[in-house]
Amino acid sequence: MELAHYSDWAVRLVNTEEPARAKDSLTSVEAVRALFVSASQMGRRVTDADVTRFRSVRARLRAIFEAADGGDPTLAVDLLNSLLLEFPVSPQISGHDYLDEQGRPRWHMHLAEHPSNATTGYAAIAAMGLAIHLTEYGADRLGLCQAPPCRNAYLDTSTNRSRRYCSDRCATRANVAAYRARKRLEAERSANTGRSADSAHETRAESEV
């Protein structure tokens, strides 16, 4: 697994909750295990106690996205550094699953998976992945979806720093809402203009009598 992929672990965890909709899918051991995707060895270690611990880490990760999205990169970095200190990683050089044309390993950095519990392992990888993304792209590349009521987290890798939504679905919904709002405003302005014209006509008519 490439280091660049680890940042997705943070996004996956944050987006298990939708505060504005009062929805939380992180309610069982199975839901926590699903977050590990291909890291089945770590996922098998999940216990009931990890559900609560994961929610705590999730709140801290969301606070990082909120700080970055709110234009406070220093706070975002401070919060992230706190996680990195509490959940350190064990980097190792690995060559498994990556072979060149001659069948030799393609060495790459890997984050070792031997934590004391599932939460510790996941939090360490998520925090390190987020740190890699932040230092490579900038804190302003950590965002929260601008399509209300959705506030899902996302990582902006666009070339022009233009991403504002967590998905194409939310982008479409926001564009449709904006289009309808413009149409309503145009209709109101047209109606007001029509009423003003009628009023002016009536005033002229009265003055001619």
Side-chain angles (χ1 to χ4, degrees):
M1 184 182 294
E2 297 289 350
L3 290 181
H5 295 164
Y6 286 125
S7 56
D8 292 334
W9 288 48
V11 173
R12 283 205 303 273
L13 178 52
V14 170
N15 291 346
T16 59
E17 181 184 29
E18 297 181 72
R21 293 189 174 105
K23 291 184 178 181
D24 187 348
S25 63
L26 202 61
T27 58
S28 66
V29 168
E30 290 71 24
V32 173
R33 285 176 178 162
L35 290 170
F36 286 93
V37 189
S38 60
S40 57
Q41 182 176 355
M42 288 178 63
R44 285 194 293 269
R45 302 181 63 182
V46 176
T47 67
D48 289 332
D50 285 303
V51 177
T52 301
R53 289 195 290 251
F54 263 69
R55 287 178 175 177
S56 176
V57 172
R58 179 181 64 189
R60 296 170 68 180
L61 287 170
R62 176 170 283 278
I64 294 169
F65 278 91
E66 289 175 345
D69 188 68
D72 193 342
T74 301
L75 176 58
V77 168
D78 287 344
L79 294 172
L80 183 50
N81 275 335
S82 178
L83 278 175
L84 291 170
L85 287 172
E86 185 173 344
F87 301 103
V89 297
S90 300
Q92 292 181 345
I93 298 174
S94 176
H96 65 81
D97 298 332
Y98 293 91
L99 303 177
D100 61 18
E101 292 76 8
Q102 286 74 42
R104 296 172 301 191
R106 291 181 177 174
W107 303 113
H108 61 281
M109 292 299 296
H110 179 82
L111 301 185
E113 300 169 358
H114 45 73
S116 58
N117 58 64
T119 304
T120 300
Y122 195 100
I125 289 175
M128 177 56 71
L130 207 55
I132 292 170
H133 187 92
L134 187 151
T135 53
E136 181 174 353
Y137 296 103
D140 59 337
R141 294 302 189 103
L142 277 58
L144 292 173
C145 188
Q146 300 300 302
C150 180
R151 292 293 282 166
N152 277 351
Y154 64 83
L155 300 170
D156 185 4
T157 56
S158 63
T159 56
N160 58 354
R161 300 174 181 265
S162 61
R163 185 170 179 179
R164 295 293 179 269
Y165 307 103
C166 68
S167 64
D168 290 339
R169 180 181 179 181
C170 276
T172 299
R173 190 172 74 246
N175 289 335
V176 169
Y179 172 79
R180 290 175 176 172
R182 287 196 301 271
K183 286 299 182 181
R184 284 195 300 270
L185 181 60
E186 290 173 2
E188 291 172 0
R189 287 175 175 171
S190 177
N192 290 335
T193 300
R195 284 194 293 269
S196 297
D198 290 342
S199 177
H201 178 74
E202 292 173 359
T203 300
R204 287 197 300 273
E206 291 173 355
S207 64
E208 293 172 356
V209 174

